[in-house]
Structures are given as structure tokens and as C-alpha cells.
Amino acid sequence: MICSGDEDDPFPVDDGLFADTFSQDTVYSLAGQQLKIRQLFGANLGVAAPVWEAALQLCCYLEDQSVELRGRSIIELGAGTGVVGILAARLGAVVTLTDLPLALPQLQANVTANMPPSGWPTTLPTVLPLSWGEDHMNFPSDWDLVLCADIIYLPETYPLLVETLAHLCKNGAVAYLSSKMRKEHETPGFYEECLPSRFNVELVHRDDNQNINIYRASLRKDK
């Protein structure tokens, strides 16, 4: 388990970004909203291309638990296709969607495609690049919620993510993290060792069939 910094760049960039691409559009019915999400495959987006089951489960959890979203200030990390953040914006949240620069065109396209007929309830979601542990200080710390769906899979990024979360949650934000618990990627260790080093962490939902956990985390006052 890596819980300290690493000098190597954990976010490699591939220049052949949009070679041999194909897209797939899927309509998801979530929390009373119909979202049309485009997944861009073959564009070297890797894990940013598809809609992951952990993201859909986080959407359902927010609805099932009646987590208040309207008017809340929300940032999503590693947004990928944007399904979680876009749903929150459709439900009235003020949303900032972030990911690595190569994922932003797909993310922006999905935001544009999902504007409600009557316009966004509050404001157009913002799409911005964010590399954990590198430029998180460019972002404020006054969020209400930080949302993360299936972003715990590269152990070398775990300390960078914890550092970024600590900054974003400094003024009391609550983070919800939904993950497929992949032992081969040391995902359980992130929630057992890395995240608790700075946060109070609570398991709030478990899907045994999909091996997906949802956690709620808040920054520890003694850190």
C-alpha cells in the first residue's frame, strides 16, 4: 500500500488521443431524470471512457438516501463521462466537474447534451482540468459535497487524491466515494489505511453482487 508521495508522473499523456475512436450513446433513467451519456471508446481515454457501475450506484444512493443536492456546491473528481455530476446539476446543484485534460472533451460534450429543455435549474456545470496533488490549490475549499465514483484503482495516485480531498474538504465538505473493491488495485487498502489517515470514514452502502462499496468521509479535525 502506497500512502506517500511518488516522484514519477502517475498521469501519463498519450498524444494520439482521438485515433480510431467510436462512440456509444446510452440513456440512463436516474432519480427521475433521463440522461443521454456518450462513451467515447478507442480515444485513449482508458477508464474515463465508460460509465462504471459504481457511478450508477452512487447516483442511486444519493436518490435513495434523499441526499440534498438542490442549491449545494458540488465538485466531482475523476468525473469521466460526468454521469454523477450531471445528474446532480439536473437536480439543482451548482456543479464543477473535473478530470484530466484528455477526458474533458467527452465530459463537456455530455454536459452540453444533457441541458434540460427549460435550462439548468441553477447554473451550467463547469468543466475544469484537475490533476490530483498538482493543481488542487487552484480550487476553493468551500464545497458542500465532493463526489467520487470508481477512481480508486492506481495505488501511486492514492496519496495525491487524499491530499486533494483534504484541501477540498477543509471547510466542512462531505465526500461520497463509490468504488468497486478491487484487491488487485489495493482499493480496500485505500479505505482502510490511506483515507483514514486524514478523514473520518464510514461505510454507508455495500453491494455484494457487484462488490461495490460507498463511503462517506469528512476531514478529521485533528488533521
Side-chain angles (χ1 to χ4, degrees), residues 21-52:
T21 64
F22 67 96
S23 63
Q24 174 182 319
D25 291 340
T26 305
V27 175
Y28 296 92
S29 180
L30 298 162
Q33 303 290 318
Q34 299 291 318
L35 302 186
K36 183 179 181 181
I37 301 296
R38 171 161 293 184
Q39 302 171 76
L40 189 62
F41 296 100
N44 296 326
L45 293 183
V47 295
V51 173
W52 296 97

Short mmCIF file of all heavy atoms in Angstrom, two decimals, residues 21-52:
data_model
loop_
_atom_site.label_atom_id
_atom_site.label_comp_id
_atom_site.label_asym_id
_atom_site.label_seq_id
_atom_site.Cartn_x
_atom_site.Cartn_y
_atom_site.Cartn_z
N THR A 21 -11.48 6.23 -33.07
CA THR A 21 -12.46 6.30 -31.99
C THR A 21 -13.84 5.85 -32.47
O THR A 21 -14.16 5.89 -33.66
CB THR A 21 -12.59 7.74 -31.46
OG1 THR A 21 -13.10 8.58 -32.52
CG2 THR A 21 -11.26 8.27 -30.99
N PHE A 22 -14.64 5.39 -31.52
CA PHE A 22 -16.05 5.17 -31.80
C PHE A 22 -16.82 5.49 -30.52
O PHE A 22 -16.27 5.42 -29.43
CB PHE A 22 -16.32 3.73 -32.26
CG PHE A 22 -16.08 2.68 -31.20
CD1 PHE A 22 -17.14 2.20 -30.44
CD2 PHE A 22 -14.81 2.19 -30.96
CE1 PHE A 22 -16.93 1.23 -29.47
CE2 PHE A 22 -14.59 1.22 -30.00
CZ PHE A 22 -15.65 0.74 -29.25
N SER A 23 -18.06 5.87 -30.68
CA SER A 23 -18.83 6.30 -29.52
C SER A 23 -20.08 5.44 -29.36
O SER A 23 -20.56 4.82 -30.31
CB SER A 23 -19.23 7.78 -29.65
OG SER A 23 -20.07 7.97 -30.77
N GLN A 24 -20.57 5.44 -28.14
CA GLN A 24 -21.80 4.72 -27.82
C GLN A 24 -22.66 5.62 -26.94
O GLN A 24 -22.19 6.10 -25.91
CB GLN A 24 -21.47 3.43 -27.07
CG GLN A 24 -22.69 2.68 -26.56
CD GLN A 24 -22.29 1.43 -25.79
OE1 GLN A 24 -21.37 0.71 -26.18
NE2 GLN A 24 -22.97 1.17 -24.68
N ASP A 25 -23.88 5.87 -27.37
CA ASP A 25 -24.80 6.69 -26.59
C ASP A 25 -25.77 5.78 -25.84
O ASP A 25 -26.36 4.87 -26.43
CB ASP A 25 -25.60 7.63 -27.50
CG ASP A 25 -24.74 8.72 -28.12
OD1 ASP A 25 -23.66 8.99 -27.59
OD2 ASP A 25 -25.16 9.28 -29.14
N THR A 26 -25.92 6.05 -24.56
CA THR A 26 -26.82 5.27 -23.71
C THR A 26 -27.68 6.22 -22.90
O THR A 26 -27.17 7.22 -22.39
CB THR A 26 -26.04 4.35 -22.76
OG1 THR A 26 -25.14 3.53 -23.52
CG2 THR A 26 -26.98 3.45 -21.97
N VAL A 27 -28.97 5.91 -22.79
CA VAL A 27 -29.87 6.71 -21.98
C VAL A 27 -30.06 6.03 -20.63
O VAL A 27 -30.41 4.84 -20.57
CB VAL A 27 -31.23 6.91 -22.68
CG1 VAL A 27 -32.19 7.66 -21.76
CG2 VAL A 27 -31.04 7.66 -24.00
N TYR A 28 -29.82 6.76 -19.57
CA TYR A 28 -29.97 6.26 -18.21
C TYR A 28 -31.12 7.00 -17.54
O TYR A 28 -31.23 8.23 -17.65
CB TYR A 28 -28.69 6.49 -17.40
CG TYR A 28 -27.51 5.71 -17.93
CD1 TYR A 28 -26.64 6.28 -18.85
CD2 TYR A 28 -27.26 4.41 -17.51
CE1 TYR A 28 -25.55 5.58 -19.34
CE2 TYR A 28 -26.17 3.69 -17.99
CZ TYR A 28 -25.32 4.28 -18.91
OH TYR A 28 -24.25 3.58 -19.40
N SER A 29 -31.98 6.25 -16.86
CA SER A 29 -33.06 6.84 -16.08
C SER A 29 -32.65 6.83 -14.61
O SER A 29 -32.58 5.76 -13.99
CB SER A 29 -34.36 6.06 -16.29
OG SER A 29 -35.41 6.64 -15.54
N LEU A 30 -32.35 8.00 -14.08
CA LEU A 30 -31.82 8.12 -12.72
C LEU A 30 -32.51 9.26 -11.99
O LEU A 30 -32.54 10.39 -12.49
CB LEU A 30 -30.30 8.38 -12.77
CG LEU A 30 -29.43 7.29 -13.42
CD1 LEU A 30 -28.07 7.86 -13.79
CD2 LEU A 30 -29.29 6.10 -12.49
N ALA A 31 -33.05 8.96 -10.83
CA ALA A 31 -33.67 9.98 -9.98
C ALA A 31 -34.68 10.82 -10.75
O ALA A 31 -34.76 12.04 -10.56
CB ALA A 31 -32.59 10.87 -9.35
N GLY A 32 -35.44 10.17 -11.61
CA GLY A 32 -36.46 10.88 -12.36
C GLY A 32 -35.94 11.67 -13.54
O GLY A 32 -36.71 12.38 -14.20
N GLN A 33 -34.65 11.55 -13.84
CA GLN A 33 -34.04 12.26 -14.95
C GLN A 33 -33.62 11.28 -16.03
O GLN A 33 -33.18 10.17 -15.75
CB GLN A 33 -32.80 13.04 -14.47
CG GLN A 33 -33.06 14.02 -13.34
CD GLN A 33 -33.87 15.22 -13.80
OE1 GLN A 33 -33.63 15.76 -14.88
NE2 GLN A 33 -34.83 15.63 -12.98
N GLN A 34 -33.76 11.70 -17.28
CA GLN A 34 -33.27 10.92 -18.41
C GLN A 34 -31.96 11.54 -18.89
O GLN A 34 -31.95 12.67 -19.39
CB GLN A 34 -34.30 10.91 -19.55
CG GLN A 34 -35.64 10.29 -19.19
CD GLN A 34 -35.56 8.79 -18.98
OE1 GLN A 34 -34.89 8.08 -19.72
NE2 GLN A 34 -36.24 8.30 -17.95
N LEU A 35 -30.86 10.80 -18.72
CA LEU A 35 -29.56 11.31 -19.12
C LEU A 35 -29.05 10.53 -20.33
O LEU A 35 -29.01 9.29 -20.31
CB LEU A 35 -28.55 11.17 -17.98
CG LEU A 35 -28.89 11.87 -16.65
CD1 LEU A 35 -27.71 11.75 -15.70
CD2 LEU A 35 -29.27 13.32 -16.87
N LYS A 36 -28.66 11.25 -21.37
CA LYS A 36 -28.06 10.63 -22.55
C LYS A 36 -26.55 10.81 -22.45
O LYS A 36 -26.04 11.92 -22.57
CB LYS A 36 -28.60 11.26 -23.83
CG LYS A 36 -28.06 10.60 -25.09
CD LYS A 36 -28.65 11.25 -26.34
CE LYS A 36 -28.13 10.58 -27.61
NZ LYS A 36 -28.68 11.22 -28.84
N ILE A 37 -25.86 9.71 -22.20
CA ILE A 37 -24.42 9.77 -21.94
C ILE A 37 -23.67 9.12 -23.09
O ILE A 37 -23.91 7.96 -23.44
CB ILE A 37 -24.06 9.06 -20.62
CG1 ILE A 37 -24.80 9.72 -19.45
CG2 ILE A 37 -22.56 9.09 -20.40
CD1 ILE A 37 -24.41 11.17 -19.18
N ARG A 38 -22.75 9.88 -23.67
CA ARG A 38 -21.89 9.35 -24.73
C ARG A 38 -20.60 8.82 -24.12
O ARG A 38 -19.94 9.51 -23.34
CB ARG A 38 -21.59 10.42 -25.76
CG ARG A 38 -20.54 10.02 -26.80
CD ARG A 38 -20.59 10.88 -28.03
NE ARG A 38 -21.84 10.64 -28.78
CZ ARG A 38 -22.12 11.20 -29.95
NH1 ARG A 38 -21.26 12.02 -30.52
NH2 ARG A 38 -23.26 10.95 -30.55
N GLN A 39 -20.25 7.60 -24.48
CA GLN A 39 -19.00 6.99 -24.06
C GLN A 39 -18.10 6.89 -25.29
O GLN A 39 -18.48 6.27 -26.29
CB GLN A 39 -19.26 5.60 -23.47
CG GLN A 39 -20.22 5.65 -22.29
CD GLN A 39 -20.64 4.26 -21.84
OE1 GLN A 39 -19.88 3.55 -21.19
NE2 GLN A 39 -21.87 3.87 -22.19
N LEU A 40 -16.94 7.50 -25.22
CA LEU A 40 -16.03 7.59 -26.35
C LEU A 40 -14.92 6.57 -26.18
O LEU A 40 -14.03 6.73 -25.35
CB LEU A 40 -15.45 9.01 -26.44
CG LEU A 40 -14.63 9.35 -27.68
CD1 LEU A 40 -15.50 9.25 -28.93
CD2 LEU A 40 -14.06 10.76 -27.55
N PHE A 41 -14.99 5.50 -26.97
CA PHE A 41 -14.02 4.41 -26.86
C PHE A 41 -12.95 4.53 -27.94
O PHE A 41 -13.16 5.12 -28.98
CB PHE A 41 -14.72 3.06 -26.98
CG PHE A 41 -15.70 2.79 -25.87
CD1 PHE A 41 -17.07 2.97 -26.07
CD2 PHE A 41 -15.26 2.38 -24.62
CE1 PHE A 41 -17.98 2.72 -25.05
CE2 PHE A 41 -16.17 2.12 -23.60
CZ PHE A 41 -17.52 2.30 -23.81
N GLY A 42 -11.80 3.93 -27.67
CA GLY A 42 -10.71 3.95 -28.63
C GLY A 42 -10.04 5.30 -28.75
O GLY A 42 -9.29 5.55 -29.68
N ALA A 43 -10.29 6.21 -27.80
CA ALA A 43 -9.68 7.54 -27.83
C ALA A 43 -8.59 7.66 -26.79
O ALA A 43 -8.22 8.76 -26.40
CB ALA A 43 -10.75 8.60 -27.60
N ASN A 44 -8.08 6.51 -26.34
CA ASN A 44 -7.04 6.50 -25.31
C ASN A 44 -7.51 7.14 -24.01
O ASN A 44 -6.69 7.61 -23.21
CB ASN A 44 -5.76 7.19 -25.80
CG ASN A 44 -5.13 6.46 -26.97
OD1 ASN A 44 -5.19 5.24 -27.05
ND2 ASN A 44 -4.54 7.20 -27.89
N LEU A 45 -8.82 7.19 -23.82
CA LEU A 45 -9.34 7.70 -22.56
C LEU A 45 -9.26 6.67 -21.46
O LEU A 45 -9.36 7.01 -20.28
CB LEU A 45 -10.81 8.14 -22.74
CG LEU A 45 -11.05 9.33 -23.66
CD1 LEU A 45 -12.53 9.68 -23.68
CD2 LEU A 45 -10.23 10.53 -23.23
N GLY A 46 -9.11 5.40 -21.84
CA GLY A 46 -8.98 4.36 -20.82
C GLY A 46 -10.19 4.32 -19.91
O GLY A 46 -11.33 4.25 -20.36
N VAL A 47 -9.94 4.42 -18.60
CA VAL A 47 -11.02 4.29 -17.62
C VAL A 47 -11.97 5.47 -17.63
O VAL A 47 -13.04 5.41 -17.01
CB VAL A 47 -10.44 4.10 -16.20
CG1 VAL A 47 -9.67 2.80 -16.10
CG2 VAL A 47 -9.54 5.28 -15.81
N ALA A 48 -11.61 6.57 -18.31
CA ALA A 48 -12.51 7.72 -18.38
C ALA A 48 -13.62 7.54 -19.41
O ALA A 48 -14.60 8.28 -19.41
CB ALA A 48 -11.73 9.00 -18.70
N ALA A 49 -13.49 6.53 -20.29
CA ALA A 49 -14.44 6.38 -21.39
C ALA A 49 -15.80 5.83 -20.97
O ALA A 49 -16.83 6.36 -21.37
CB ALA A 49 -13.83 5.50 -22.49
N PRO A 50 -15.86 4.75 -20.19
CA PRO A 50 -17.16 4.13 -19.92
C PRO A 50 -17.88 4.70 -18.70
O PRO A 50 -17.29 5.38 -17.87
CB PRO A 50 -16.79 2.65 -19.68
CG PRO A 50 -15.41 2.69 -19.13
CD PRO A 50 -14.74 3.92 -19.68
N VAL A 51 -19.17 4.37 -18.64
CA VAL A 51 -19.95 4.61 -17.42
C VAL A 51 -19.77 3.38 -16.54
O VAL A 51 -20.14 2.26 -16.93
CB VAL A 51 -21.44 4.81 -17.75
CG1 VAL A 51 -22.27 4.87 -16.46
CG2 VAL A 51 -21.63 6.08 -18.56
N TRP A 52 -19.21 3.56 -15.36
CA TRP A 52 -18.94 2.45 -14.45
C TRP A 52 -20.13 2.22 -13.53
O TRP A 52 -20.85 3.15 -13.15
CB TRP A 52 -17.68 2.73 -13.63
CG TRP A 52 -16.46 2.82 -14.47
CD1 TRP A 52 -15.86 3.95 -14.95
CD2 TRP A 52 -15.68 1.72 -14.97
NE1 TRP A 52 -14.77 3.63 -15.71
CE2 TRP A 52 -14.62 2.27 -15.74
CE3 TRP A 52 -15.77 0.33 -14.84
CZ2 TRP A 52 -13.67 1.47 -16.38
CZ3 TRP A 52 -14.82 -0.47 -15.47
CH2 TRP A 52 -13.79 0.10 -16.23
#
